[in-house]
Amino acid sequence: MLLLGIDLGTSSIKVSVLDAATRECRCAVTYPPGEERDITARQPGWAEQRPAQWWADAQAAIQLANASGRYDPQAIGAIGIAYQMHGLVVVDKNQQVLRDSIIWCDSRAVPYGEAAFQAIGEARCLSHLLNSPGNFTAAKLAWVKENEPETYARIDKIMLPGDFLAMQLTGEITTSVSALSEGTFWDFTGQELSGDVLNYFGFDRELFPKTQAVFAEHGQLRPAVAATLGLRPGIPVSYKAGDQPNNALSLNVLHPGEVAATAGTSGVIYAVTDQLLADRASRVNAFAHVNHRPEAPRLGVLLCINGAGSLNRWTREVAGAGLSYPQMNAQAATVPAGSAGLLCLPFGNGAERMLNNRQVGAHFQHLDLNRHTAVHLFRAAQEGVAYAFRYGLDVLRENGLYPSIIRAGHANLFRSEVFTQAFVNSTGVAVELHETDGSVGAALGAGIGAGAYAAPADAFASQLARRLVEPDQDAATYEDGYQRWLQQLQVQLAARPDFPTPLP
């Protein structure tokens, strides 16, 4: 049996087709090829994308993969979906999308989440939701309810981006405890939809789809869609998870003490624990992992940096026109560690949860017009992301999480030797690189959900690390650089003591 994995990212959609028996990747396609999808920002701090574009790109990616001739599309027996987390998609009773999706890095709903945090009570939110409602899906829905009442009145179901793709494939709308928790809709103490959140915001329970396990059938491929895609009708969508839990799955990070990282559009460290852990200021966030069960808790504690690959992309567009990412990485490697004193704060992609939902913005500090070149910008940007990871890892350490090794896919920024070594030297934690990505994880998840593997561990029986990256002779340089970077960040934080702004 072949397995189809779909990874709905912010910049593109990637699909992979795996042989369930051998774990061999028969084909991998990214769509659109050679470019990245835009984010619409109609006002400062806003970020939206069109679900119709996601669906068009997903179909194009699958058709392109099928056209490769590397496998028989009729042999695909299960579909898995990974998706950008925390986005809001709303549809009417005819499953028609009512507005563009308010995606993960949109900051407009922060005041709504902060008001709920205070009204429900900080202690109760942290003990029941494990988070502040902050800027998650619940707060985004509250913004729609307050500011677009006509749209809100027409909503039949709310969903996350991956739920939308599954709906397009199957006609069914489902959710999971993992998905509900990432929207701050789930009460971990009561093991149910949060009455606190629903009552405070005035949400009707009928807005929420039926709840399924992550590894379960979320519908079957509709005949008309199957004909368009060249697949067999009736194929189950047997797995659906947010991109960070899915990235952890792809790295076989399933048990307490195991830690995954990714550096795509955003940067994330994701640590698995069996404790219902909540950060005192909700700077890092705990969600139900893909294998969470009430009797065997598995929580993913997520540190998110909004501006990681997005900063790298901006730097290339502004200072590296015409360069590919590998070319830019190679040029960055010609500059010694520390970027000749140039520092970068990478926080220009919305409110940062680990900075208490402040919008600090991106900054290049100590720019010397007689010394620094575009190449210094390339390296400083990647080092700045690494320093942000160090800052966030220190928050995780405050919460009792001390990883000795971090697993990451050899993808996105982790393809850069400069970034990978800067990450290791800044954090002091070795990184184990694997040849996997989100679409591969989604395909393996589909196999687990469809019963191709007796247990999740069986899906990773042949997975070996590509290599281990450890701190080197530049570790002291990066420690000094981080301390100078931290001073600059503290200056910017002090200049923004009152964010988030109150409700209008």
Side-chain angles (χ1 to χ4, degrees):
M1 179 171 68
L2 299 182
L3 307 170
L4 172 63
I6 307 171
D7 183 14
L8 193 177
T10 309
S11 302
S12 61
I13 286 182
K14 185 173 183 179
V15 302
S16 289
V17 177
L18 268 63
D19 185 308
T22 65
R23 287 80 166 173
E24 174 194 0
C25 183
R26 296 287 188 86
C27 184
V29 168
T30 299
Y31 197 89
E35 61 179 287
E36 299 176 34
R37 287 297 179 205
D38 291 331
I39 295 173
T40 301
R42 291 182 288 127
Q43 292 191 34
W46 289 24
E48 298 182 352
Q49 289 185 322
R50 292 177 53 241
Q53 186 68 64
W54 296 338
W55 176 229
D57 288 350
Q59 293 179 88
I62 294 168
Q63 291 166 335
L64 193 58
N66 289 347
S68 70
R70 297 174 188 169
Y71 60 90
D72 178 6
Q74 295 297 303
I76 291 174
I79 301 172
I81 299 172
Y83 58 87
Q84 49 171 290
M85 296 172 71
H86 314 305
L88 173 68
V89 180
V90 293
V91 297
D92 64 16
K93 62 183 179 180
N94 297 313
Q95 297 188 350
Q96 297 300 302
V97 175
L98 295 173
R99 69 174 326 281
D100 285 353
S101 175
I102 303 175
I103 66 171
W104 59 277
C105 55
D106 188 295
S107 302
R108 78 186 75 177
V110 170
Y112 292 82
E114 289 295 323
F117 194 36
Q118 299 303 318
I120 296 171
E122 295 184 10
R124 186 168 179 85
C125 282
L126 296 180
S127 62
H128 286 252
L129 305 175
L130 308 184
N131 302 292
S132 161
N135 194 35
F136 297 117
T137 317
K140 292 176 169 66
L141 182 61
W143 185 92
V144 173
K145 184 172 184 284
E146 175 77 15
N147 294 275
E148 299 176 354
E150 293 183 0
T151 297
Y152 183 85
R154 296 172 59 199
I155 297 173
D156 179 64
K157 289 291 182 287
I158 68 164
M159 62 188 83
L160 296 163
D163 304 328
F164 166 78
L165 275 191
M167 180 194 78
Q168 295 294 95
L169 290 165
T170 70
E172 300 289 330
I173 305 176
T174 68
T175 188
S176 67
V177 170
S178 182
L180 291 168
S181 72
E182 76 173 77
T184 63
F185 293 115
W186 189 252
D187 185 327
F188 282 91
T189 302
Q191 297 298 323
E192 60 182 354
L193 275 171
S194 170
D196 291 329
V197 170
L198 271 59
N199 292 336
Y200 174 78
F201 286 127
F203 298 152
D204 193 313
R205 289 178 181 267
E206 295 303 313
L207 294 176
F208 297 87
K210 62 182 178 182
T211 303
Q212 304 272 77
V214 170
F215 301 107
E217 185 177 298
H218 295 272
Q220 297 182 352
L221 189 63
R222 292 185 288 179
V225 176
T228 298
L229 298 179
L231 304 177
R232 289 189 295 106
I235 298 172
V237 173
S238 53
Y239 169 80
K240 193 170 51 171
D243 52 9
Q244 299 313 320
N246 177 73
N247 179 63
L249 172 74
S250 76
L251 294 162
N252 195 20
V253 170
L254 294 168
H255 304 294
E258 296 175 340
V259 181
T262 184
T265 301
S266 62
V268 168
I269 295 177
Y270 186 94
V272 178
T273 179
D274 56 3
Q275 304 298 310
L276 298 183
L277 186 153
D279 177 62
R280 58 181 172 79
S282 203
R283 296 166 297 172
V284 295
N285 307 101
F287 307 113
H289 195 24
V290 293
N291 57 340
H292 172 77
R293 303 194 313 275
E295 67 277 14
R298 294 293 182 269
L299 283 298
V301 183
L302 187 152
L303 153 76
C304 181
I305 304 159
N306 288 0
S310 56
L311 172 67
N312 208 40
R313 171 189 177 183
W314 179 89
T315 306
R316 186 182 72 152
E317 290 176 347
V318 171
L323 294 178
S324 67
Y325 284 117
Q327 289 171 331
M328 190 171 75
N329 294 337
Q331 290 194 15
T334 65
V335 175
S339 304
L342 185 62
L343 294 172
C344 176
L345 300 180
F347 305 116
N349 193 26
E352 296 283 355
R353 292 197 295 276
M354 74 175 187
L355 303 180
N356 302 107
N357 282 320
R358 290 184 175 93
Q359 293 194 69
V360 170
H363 304 262
F364 283 93
Q365 304 280 355
H366 307 308
L367 182 63
D368 186 332
L369 301 180
N370 298 311
R371 188 181 186 192
H372 295 130
T373 66
V375 180
H376 291 89
L377 293 177
F378 300 159
R379 181 163 194 132
Q382 294 190 14
E383 291 179 339
V385 175
Y387 292 145
F389 269 108
R390 160 65 185 277
Y391 183 94
L393 186 58
D394 285 347
V395 175
L396 287 172
R397 287 165 173 151
E398 283 182 39
N399 285 278
L401 300 169
Y402 295 91
S404 58
I405 192 167
I406 294 174
R407 297 176 194 164
H410 185 233
N412 302 313
L413 274 174
F414 279 107
R415 287 193 178 275
S416 166
E417 290 291 328
V418 167
F419 170 76
T420 303
Q421 199 65 60
F423 178 99
V424 169
N425 283 328
S426 299
T427 62
V429 181
V431 167
E432 190 178 84
L433 291 174
H434 292 256
E435 288 295 347
T436 189
D437 62 22
S439 61
V440 170
L444 290 171
I448 296 168
Y453 307 111
D458 294 340
F460 307 97
S462 61
Q463 182 167 303
L464 300 174
R466 173 189 174 94
R467 68 188 180 101
L468 182 69
V469 183
E470 299 180 284
D472 63 14
Q473 69 278 359
D474 289 326
T477 298
Y478 279 105
E479 179 61 28
D480 175 70
Y482 174 71
Q483 295 302 327
R484 292 187 296 108
W485 180 93
L486 182 59
Q487 290 176 359
Q488 295 298 324
L489 174 60
Q490 289 168 341
V491 169
Q492 296 300 326
L493 292 174
R496 294 162 174 80
D498 298 325
F499 193 84
T501 55
L503 289 170

Short mmCIF file of all heavy atoms in Angstrom, two decimals, residues 72-119:
data_model
loop_
_atom_site.label_atom_id
_atom_site.label_comp_id
_atom_site.label_asym_id
_atom_site.label_seq_id
_atom_site.Cartn_x
_atom_site.Cartn_y
_atom_site.Cartn_z
N ASP A 72 2.08 3.99 -8.92
CA ASP A 72 0.72 3.84 -9.44
C ASP A 72 -0.24 4.57 -8.50
O ASP A 72 -0.42 4.16 -7.35
CB ASP A 72 0.36 2.36 -9.51
CG ASP A 72 -1.07 2.13 -10.00
OD1 ASP A 72 -1.73 3.10 -10.38
OD2 ASP A 72 -1.50 0.95 -9.97
N PRO A 73 -0.85 5.67 -8.93
CA PRO A 73 -1.78 6.41 -8.06
C PRO A 73 -2.90 5.54 -7.50
O PRO A 73 -3.41 5.80 -6.41
CB PRO A 73 -2.33 7.52 -8.96
CG PRO A 73 -1.27 7.71 -10.01
CD PRO A 73 -0.70 6.35 -10.23
N GLN A 74 -3.28 4.48 -8.23
CA GLN A 74 -4.36 3.61 -7.78
C GLN A 74 -3.94 2.77 -6.57
O GLN A 74 -4.78 2.15 -5.92
CB GLN A 74 -4.82 2.71 -8.91
CG GLN A 74 -5.46 3.46 -10.07
CD GLN A 74 -6.73 4.18 -9.65
OE1 GLN A 74 -7.65 3.56 -9.15
NE2 GLN A 74 -6.77 5.50 -9.86
N ALA A 75 -2.62 2.73 -6.30
CA ALA A 75 -2.13 1.95 -5.15
C ALA A 75 -2.14 2.75 -3.85
O ALA A 75 -1.84 2.20 -2.79
CB ALA A 75 -0.72 1.43 -5.43
N ILE A 76 -2.48 4.03 -3.92
CA ILE A 76 -2.56 4.84 -2.70
C ILE A 76 -3.76 4.37 -1.88
O ILE A 76 -4.88 4.31 -2.37
CB ILE A 76 -2.67 6.34 -3.03
CG1 ILE A 76 -1.35 6.84 -3.62
CG2 ILE A 76 -3.03 7.16 -1.78
CD1 ILE A 76 -1.39 8.27 -4.11
N GLY A 77 -3.49 4.04 -0.60
CA GLY A 77 -4.54 3.45 0.23
C GLY A 77 -4.95 4.27 1.43
O GLY A 77 -5.90 3.91 2.13
N ALA A 78 -4.24 5.37 1.70
CA ALA A 78 -4.59 6.21 2.85
C ALA A 78 -3.98 7.58 2.66
O ALA A 78 -2.93 7.74 2.02
CB ALA A 78 -4.11 5.58 4.16
N ILE A 79 -4.62 8.58 3.24
CA ILE A 79 -4.19 9.98 3.12
C ILE A 79 -4.03 10.57 4.52
O ILE A 79 -4.89 10.38 5.39
CB ILE A 79 -5.21 10.81 2.33
CG1 ILE A 79 -5.40 10.24 0.92
CG2 ILE A 79 -4.78 12.28 2.25
CD1 ILE A 79 -6.54 10.89 0.14
N GLY A 80 -2.93 11.29 4.73
CA GLY A 80 -2.71 12.01 5.97
C GLY A 80 -2.49 13.48 5.69
O GLY A 80 -1.97 13.85 4.63
N ILE A 81 -2.88 14.32 6.64
CA ILE A 81 -2.81 15.77 6.46
C ILE A 81 -2.11 16.40 7.65
O ILE A 81 -2.45 16.15 8.80
CB ILE A 81 -4.21 16.39 6.31
CG1 ILE A 81 -4.92 15.83 5.09
CG2 ILE A 81 -4.13 17.92 6.24
CD1 ILE A 81 -6.38 16.25 4.97
N ALA A 82 -1.11 17.24 7.37
CA ALA A 82 -0.51 18.13 8.36
C ALA A 82 -0.82 19.56 7.92
O ALA A 82 -0.97 19.82 6.72
CB ALA A 82 1.00 17.91 8.44
N TYR A 83 -0.88 20.47 8.87
CA TYR A 83 -1.34 21.81 8.49
C TYR A 83 -0.78 22.88 9.45
O TYR A 83 -0.45 22.60 10.59
CB TYR A 83 -2.87 21.88 8.51
CG TYR A 83 -3.46 21.51 9.87
CD1 TYR A 83 -3.64 22.48 10.85
CD2 TYR A 83 -3.81 20.20 10.17
CE1 TYR A 83 -4.17 22.14 12.09
CE2 TYR A 83 -4.34 19.86 11.40
CZ TYR A 83 -4.50 20.84 12.36
OH TYR A 83 -5.01 20.51 13.60
N GLN A 84 -0.73 24.11 8.94
CA GLN A 84 -0.34 25.25 9.76
C GLN A 84 -1.36 25.41 10.89
O GLN A 84 -2.56 25.45 10.67
CB GLN A 84 -0.25 26.51 8.92
CG GLN A 84 -1.46 26.78 8.02
CD GLN A 84 -1.42 28.14 7.36
OE1 GLN A 84 -1.56 29.17 8.00
NE2 GLN A 84 -1.22 28.15 6.04
N MET A 85 -0.85 25.52 12.12
CA MET A 85 -1.71 25.50 13.30
C MET A 85 -2.41 26.84 13.56
O MET A 85 -1.99 27.88 13.07
CB MET A 85 -0.88 25.12 14.53
CG MET A 85 -0.30 23.73 14.46
SD MET A 85 0.85 23.36 15.80
CE MET A 85 -0.26 23.26 17.21
N HIS A 86 -3.48 26.78 14.35
CA HIS A 86 -4.14 27.93 14.97
C HIS A 86 -4.96 28.79 14.03
O HIS A 86 -5.58 29.76 14.46
CB HIS A 86 -3.14 28.83 15.71
CG HIS A 86 -2.18 28.11 16.58
ND1 HIS A 86 -2.58 27.24 17.57
CD2 HIS A 86 -0.82 28.11 16.59
CE1 HIS A 86 -1.50 26.74 18.16
NE2 HIS A 86 -0.44 27.23 17.58
N GLY A 87 -5.00 28.49 12.73
CA GLY A 87 -5.78 29.29 11.81
C GLY A 87 -7.27 29.03 11.97
O GLY A 87 -7.69 27.99 12.47
N LEU A 88 -8.06 29.98 11.52
CA LEU A 88 -9.53 29.87 11.63
C LEU A 88 -10.13 29.84 10.24
O LEU A 88 -9.92 30.74 9.43
CB LEU A 88 -10.10 31.06 12.40
CG LEU A 88 -11.63 31.16 12.43
CD1 LEU A 88 -12.23 30.02 13.24
CD2 LEU A 88 -12.07 32.51 13.00
N VAL A 89 -10.89 28.77 9.95
CA VAL A 89 -11.68 28.67 8.73
C VAL A 89 -13.14 28.51 9.15
O VAL A 89 -13.45 27.70 10.03
CB VAL A 89 -11.25 27.48 7.86
CG1 VAL A 89 -12.10 27.41 6.59
CG2 VAL A 89 -9.77 27.57 7.50
N VAL A 90 -14.03 29.28 8.53
CA VAL A 90 -15.45 29.20 8.89
C VAL A 90 -16.26 28.92 7.62
O VAL A 90 -16.02 29.51 6.56
CB VAL A 90 -15.95 30.49 9.57
CG1 VAL A 90 -15.29 30.64 10.93
CG2 VAL A 90 -15.66 31.74 8.73
N VAL A 91 -17.23 27.99 7.74
CA VAL A 91 -18.05 27.63 6.59
C VAL A 91 -19.53 27.67 6.98
O VAL A 91 -19.89 27.55 8.15
CB VAL A 91 -17.70 26.23 6.06
CG1 VAL A 91 -16.27 26.18 5.56
CG2 VAL A 91 -17.95 25.15 7.11
N ASP A 92 -20.39 27.82 5.95
CA ASP A 92 -21.83 27.80 6.18
C ASP A 92 -22.35 26.37 6.07
O ASP A 92 -21.58 25.41 5.93
CB ASP A 92 -22.55 28.76 5.23
CG ASP A 92 -22.44 28.36 3.76
OD1 ASP A 92 -22.07 27.20 3.47
OD2 ASP A 92 -22.71 29.20 2.88
N LYS A 93 -23.66 26.21 6.12
CA LYS A 93 -24.25 24.88 6.13
C LYS A 93 -24.05 24.14 4.82
O LYS A 93 -24.23 22.92 4.75
CB LYS A 93 -25.73 24.95 6.46
CG LYS A 93 -26.56 25.74 5.46
CD LYS A 93 -28.01 25.83 5.90
CE LYS A 93 -28.85 26.62 4.92
NZ LYS A 93 -30.27 26.71 5.35
N ASN A 94 -23.65 24.86 3.75
CA ASN A 94 -23.34 24.24 2.47
C ASN A 94 -21.84 24.01 2.28
O ASN A 94 -21.39 23.74 1.17
CB ASN A 94 -23.88 25.09 1.32
CG ASN A 94 -25.39 25.22 1.36
OD1 ASN A 94 -26.10 24.22 1.54
ND2 ASN A 94 -25.90 26.43 1.21
N GLN A 95 -21.10 24.15 3.36
CA GLN A 95 -19.64 23.99 3.37
C GLN A 95 -18.93 25.00 2.48
O GLN A 95 -17.86 24.74 1.94
CB GLN A 95 -19.24 22.56 2.99
CG GLN A 95 -19.74 21.51 3.98
CD GLN A 95 -19.19 20.12 3.71
OE1 GLN A 95 -18.56 19.87 2.69
NE2 GLN A 95 -19.41 19.20 4.65
N GLN A 96 -19.53 26.19 2.37
CA GLN A 96 -18.91 27.28 1.63
C GLN A 96 -18.15 28.18 2.60
O GLN A 96 -18.70 28.58 3.64
CB GLN A 96 -19.96 28.08 0.87
CG GLN A 96 -20.70 27.27 -0.20
CD GLN A 96 -19.76 26.71 -1.24
OE1 GLN A 96 -19.04 27.45 -1.91
NE2 GLN A 96 -19.78 25.38 -1.39
N VAL A 97 -16.92 28.50 2.24
CA VAL A 97 -16.09 29.35 3.11
C VAL A 97 -16.65 30.76 3.14
O VAL A 97 -16.99 31.34 2.09
CB VAL A 97 -14.63 29.36 2.59
CG1 VAL A 97 -13.79 30.34 3.40
CG2 VAL A 97 -14.03 27.96 2.68
N LEU A 98 -16.77 31.33 4.33
CA LEU A 98 -17.43 32.63 4.51
C LEU A 98 -16.47 33.81 4.49
O LEU A 98 -16.89 34.94 4.29
CB LEU A 98 -18.20 32.63 5.83
CG LEU A 98 -19.36 31.64 5.90
CD1 LEU A 98 -19.94 31.60 7.31
CD2 LEU A 98 -20.44 32.01 4.89
N ARG A 99 -15.20 33.58 4.75
CA ARG A 99 -14.20 34.66 4.72
C ARG A 99 -12.81 34.02 4.62
O ARG A 99 -12.66 32.82 4.84
CB ARG A 99 -14.28 35.54 5.97
CG ARG A 99 -13.82 34.82 7.24
CD ARG A 99 -13.73 35.65 8.49
NE ARG A 99 -13.34 37.02 8.36
CZ ARG A 99 -12.09 37.43 8.20
NH1 ARG A 99 -11.09 36.56 8.09
NH2 ARG A 99 -11.82 38.72 8.12
N ASP A 100 -11.82 34.82 4.28
CA ASP A 100 -10.46 34.31 4.24
C ASP A 100 -10.05 33.84 5.64
O ASP A 100 -10.56 34.33 6.66
CB ASP A 100 -9.49 35.39 3.77
CG ASP A 100 -9.57 35.65 2.27
OD1 ASP A 100 -10.28 34.89 1.59
OD2 ASP A 100 -8.93 36.60 1.80
N SER A 101 -9.12 32.90 5.67
CA SER A 101 -8.67 32.35 6.95
C SER A 101 -7.78 33.36 7.68
O SER A 101 -6.87 33.95 7.10
CB SER A 101 -7.87 31.08 6.72
OG SER A 101 -7.32 30.60 7.92
N ILE A 102 -8.07 33.56 8.97
CA ILE A 102 -7.19 34.34 9.84
C ILE A 102 -6.15 33.34 10.34
O ILE A 102 -6.47 32.42 11.09
CB ILE A 102 -7.97 34.95 11.01
CG1 ILE A 102 -9.10 35.84 10.48
CG2 ILE A 102 -7.04 35.76 11.92
CD1 ILE A 102 -10.00 36.40 11.58
N ILE A 103 -4.89 33.50 9.89
CA ILE A 103 -3.91 32.45 10.13
C ILE A 103 -3.11 32.69 11.41
O ILE A 103 -3.32 33.66 12.13
CB ILE A 103 -2.98 32.25 8.91
CG1 ILE A 103 -2.09 33.48 8.68
CG2 ILE A 103 -3.81 31.92 7.67
CD1 ILE A 103 -1.01 33.24 7.62
N TRP A 104 -2.20 31.79 11.68
CA TRP A 104 -1.50 31.67 12.95
C TRP A 104 -0.77 32.93 13.38
O TRP A 104 -0.72 33.25 14.57
CB TRP A 104 -0.51 30.50 12.89
CG TRP A 104 0.51 30.64 11.80
CD1 TRP A 104 0.35 30.31 10.49
CD2 TRP A 104 1.83 31.16 11.92
NE1 TRP A 104 1.49 30.60 9.77
CE2 TRP A 104 2.42 31.11 10.64
CE3 TRP A 104 2.58 31.65 13.00
CZ2 TRP A 104 3.73 31.55 10.40
CZ3 TRP A 104 3.89 32.07 12.76
CH2 TRP A 104 4.44 32.03 11.46
N CYS A 105 -0.18 33.69 12.45
CA CYS A 105 0.64 34.85 12.83
C CYS A 105 -0.14 36.15 12.82
O CYS A 105 0.44 37.23 12.97
CB CYS A 105 1.87 34.96 11.93
SG CYS A 105 1.49 35.03 10.15
N ASP A 106 -1.46 36.09 12.66
CA ASP A 106 -2.31 37.27 12.76
C ASP A 106 -2.44 37.68 14.23
O ASP A 106 -2.69 36.86 15.09
CB ASP A 106 -3.69 36.95 12.18
CG ASP A 106 -4.59 38.16 12.07
OD1 ASP A 106 -4.95 38.72 13.13
OD2 ASP A 106 -4.95 38.52 10.95
N SER A 107 -2.28 38.98 14.50
CA SER A 107 -2.22 39.46 15.89
C SER A 107 -3.47 40.21 16.35
O SER A 107 -3.52 40.67 17.49
CB SER A 107 -1.00 40.38 16.07
OG SER A 107 0.19 39.72 15.73
N ARG A 108 -4.45 40.35 15.50
CA ARG A 108 -5.58 41.22 15.84
C ARG A 108 -6.38 40.75 17.06
O ARG A 108 -7.03 41.54 17.73
CB ARG A 108 -6.52 41.35 14.63
CG ARG A 108 -7.44 40.16 14.43
CD ARG A 108 -8.26 40.22 13.17
NE ARG A 108 -7.44 39.92 12.01
CZ ARG A 108 -7.94 39.85 10.76
NH1 ARG A 108 -9.23 40.07 10.57
NH2 ARG A 108 -7.16 39.56 9.76
N ALA A 109 -6.35 39.44 17.33
CA ALA A 109 -7.21 38.89 18.38
C ALA A 109 -6.55 38.87 19.75
O ALA A 109 -7.18 38.44 20.72
CB ALA A 109 -7.65 37.48 18.00
N VAL A 110 -5.31 39.33 19.84
CA VAL A 110 -4.61 39.28 21.13
C VAL A 110 -5.41 39.95 22.25
O VAL A 110 -5.55 39.37 23.35
CB VAL A 110 -3.21 39.91 21.02
CG1 VAL A 110 -2.58 40.09 22.40
CG2 VAL A 110 -2.30 39.04 20.16
N PRO A 111 -5.97 41.14 22.06
CA PRO A 111 -6.73 41.75 23.17
C PRO A 111 -7.93 40.92 23.61
O PRO A 111 -8.28 40.93 24.80
CB PRO A 111 -7.17 43.09 22.58
CG PRO A 111 -6.19 43.38 21.50
CD PRO A 111 -5.85 42.05 20.92
N TYR A 112 -8.55 40.18 22.70
CA TYR A 112 -9.70 39.33 23.05
C TYR A 112 -9.24 38.18 23.93
O TYR A 112 -9.90 37.83 24.91
CB TYR A 112 -10.38 38.82 21.78
CG TYR A 112 -11.05 39.92 20.99
CD1 TYR A 112 -10.30 40.73 20.13
CD2 TYR A 112 -12.41 40.17 21.11
CE1 TYR A 112 -10.90 41.76 19.41
CE2 TYR A 112 -13.01 41.18 20.39
CZ TYR A 112 -12.25 41.98 19.54
OH TYR A 112 -12.84 43.00 18.84
N GLY A 113 -8.11 37.58 23.56
CA GLY A 113 -7.59 36.49 24.36
C GLY A 113 -7.12 36.95 25.73
O GLY A 113 -7.34 36.26 26.74
N GLU A 114 -6.49 38.11 25.78
CA GLU A 114 -6.02 38.64 27.06
C GLU A 114 -7.19 38.98 27.98
O GLU A 114 -7.14 38.74 29.19
CB GLU A 114 -5.16 39.88 26.83
CG GLU A 114 -3.80 39.58 26.19
CD GLU A 114 -2.91 38.77 27.10
OE1 GLU A 114 -2.94 38.98 28.32
OE2 GLU A 114 -2.18 37.90 26.58
N ALA A 115 -8.26 39.53 27.40
CA ALA A 115 -9.44 39.85 28.21
C ALA A 115 -10.07 38.57 28.78
O ALA A 115 -10.49 38.53 29.94
CB ALA A 115 -10.47 40.61 27.36
N ALA A 116 -10.09 37.50 27.97
CA ALA A 116 -10.62 36.23 28.46
C ALA A 116 -9.74 35.66 29.56
O ALA A 116 -10.25 35.09 30.53
CB ALA A 116 -10.73 35.24 27.30
N PHE A 117 -8.43 35.80 29.41
CA PHE A 117 -7.48 35.31 30.41
C PHE A 117 -7.76 35.95 31.77
O PHE A 117 -7.76 35.27 32.81
CB PHE A 117 -6.07 35.65 29.93
CG PHE A 117 -4.96 34.94 30.65
CD1 PHE A 117 -5.08 33.63 31.09
CD2 PHE A 117 -3.75 35.59 30.87
CE1 PHE A 117 -4.03 32.97 31.72
CE2 PHE A 117 -2.69 34.95 31.51
CZ PHE A 117 -2.84 33.63 31.93
N GLN A 118 -8.05 37.24 31.76
CA GLN A 118 -8.33 37.94 33.01
C GLN A 118 -9.72 37.61 33.54
O GLN A 118 -9.90 37.42 34.75
CB GLN A 118 -8.19 39.46 32.79
CG GLN A 118 -6.80 39.90 32.36
CD GLN A 118 -5.72 39.49 33.32
OE1 GLN A 118 -5.88 39.59 34.55
NE2 GLN A 118 -4.59 39.01 32.79
N ALA A 119 -10.71 37.54 32.65
CA ALA A 119 -12.09 37.32 33.09
C ALA A 119 -12.29 35.89 33.62
O ALA A 119 -12.94 35.69 34.66
CB ALA A 119 -13.06 37.61 31.95
#
